[in-house]
Amino acid sequence: MSSVMTPVTHPVRLTERINRIEPSATMAAVAEAEKLRQQGIDVVDVTAGEPHFSTPQHVKDAAIAAINGNFSKYTPVGGTLELKDAIIRRHSTDFGSAYKREEVCASVGGKHALFNVISVLVEHGDEVILPVPYWVSFKDMVRYVGGKCVLLESDESQGFRVTAQMVEGLVTPKTKLIILNSPSNPSGAVMSPEDMIEVVRLAHERGIWVISDECYVYLNYTGKNFSVGSLNEYRDRFLVVGSLSKTYAMTGWRLGYTLGPAAVVGAVTKLQSQSTSNPTSIVQKAAVAALNSSQQCVEDMRQEYIKLRDHIVGGLRAISGVKCTMPEGAFYAYPNVSAFFGKSGLNSASDIAHGLLHQEHVATVAGEGFGTTEHVRISYATTMENLDRALERMRKYFGGL
Ligand SMILES: Cc1ncc(COP(=O)(O)O)c(C=O)c1O
């Protein structure tokens, strides 16, 4: 006699905290473009949040040497002393900071560093001031740990620039943290050093934390490059998060870091010791080569981004109805497309991004994921030729509305 077992199915019950967050809007846009590409469609993709340049050869060589030299064991959780020293030296040379080894933790990308810092600082119910437009992950990281984002609306006519006065207006007794991101993804806005100093000063005075996400600090086109890491007198209230991803065209390698007070960096390292452990050993060797060698490759890429920025912004502004602020850093243009709302059933940035993708096969990211409803993000970390193809298709799309 054969007995037939009835399969038992249990509902998938995930935690409340995982249901607080959404998948990254940028990743979703990339996936949608990929679907069309799979169908053989020639998509012009300007979604990428990463340099189109290859990783410099000397960095690759260092990784290859590390593999061949069997540098393949666990390292200290927060990175080797060699790497910590290289991060400290680079930052001190470029910005005049003075960090010690116990004030540095290397992580698996800047995103990981940010997740760690937010996890150890933000408690359930804490308020976190976040300028809009924001990089997609800030909001979800804060929500994941139970914090509440207090959104700081910036002024598009002022290039989305955030000022200390705007930040101060949102401070309440529940404010735990202020997140700064200059140059900004997605707007390219750069805060003035004076405003950054004032935010850090007021945070210090009131016992509030500041995270300064400086992943694009080397892609600043204003000529006034600045890191809050140089503000030694306020150093017990802020953390600098850096990354090699954009600076050295190393997005896939995954190496970022936190600089800050030893008590916080110690907690970050403890959290990391119970999750990922050290960033990949061979990547650490590559990072040392990137940080310790000539920085000419960084300057060469920066100069190229300036040309690409001028080209895309000029092209966008020439399209009737499209308004575009001049980004002062990073590698994104953030044009306002609201003049087309109400035409052909289009009512949002998502509708426009959808139309651009499905009608003209140009992949952009809709502004909703960054907290604004009237913009699309265009990455100009691509070739001039690709930008021209994108512009031609956008002219056709908007001209036909
Ligand atoms: C503002 C900002 N911060 C942090 C990151 C994280 O970069 P990574 O994890 O590659 O260092 C990104 C990546 O797009 C970013 O745009």
Side-chain angles (χ1 to χ4, degrees), residues 49 109-111 114 135 138 181 185 213 215-216 243 245-246 251 254 332:
K111 192 182 255 185
L114 286 162
W135 174 54
F138 290 138
N181 173 217
N185 174 8
D213 175 347
C215 288
Y216 295 92
S243 169
S245 287
K246 325 284 175 170
T251 44
R254 315 304 303 131
Y332 309 100

Side-chain angles (χ1 to χ4, degrees), residues 21 56 58 67 74 76 113 153 186 204 209 211 259 280 304 313 343 356 394:
I21 66 172
H58 64 280
I67 294 172
Y74 292 129
E153 298 296 335
H204 186 264
W209 290 102
I211 295 178
L259 297 168
T280 307
E304 189 60 27
V313 172
K343 296 187 181 176
L356 277 167
M394 284 192 274

Side-chain angles (χ1 to χ4, degrees), residues 316-328:
L316 287 167
R317 286 177 172 177
I319 299 173
S320 176
V322 175
K323 283 191 292 177
C324 190
T325 54
M326 180 57 87
E328 295 187 316

Side-chain angles (χ1 to χ4, degrees), residues 114-184:
L114 286 162
F115 190 85
N116 285 344
V117 177
I118 290 171
S119 299
V120 306
L121 289 183
V122 178
E123 204 76 81
H124 213 90
D126 284 344
E127 292 183 358
V128 177
I129 297 179
L130 180 61
V132 181
Y134 44 74
W135 174 54
V136 286
S137 298
F138 290 138
K139 176 176 62 67
D140 291 288
M141 288 182 191
V142 170
R143 282 195 184 160
Y144 189 70
V145 301
K148 178 171 171 260
C149 290
V150 175
L151 300 179
L152 187 165
E153 298 296 335
S154 59
D155 183 349
E156 183 168 6
S157 71
Q158 300 301 310
F160 297 106
R161 227 166 280 122
V162 173
T163 66
Q165 210 182 5
M166 291 159 81
V167 173
E168 188 167 16
L170 291 182
V171 171
T172 76
K174 285 191 170 173
T175 306
K176 175 60 85 61
L177 171 70
I178 299 162
I179 298 181
L180 302 180
N181 173 217
S182 174
S184 151

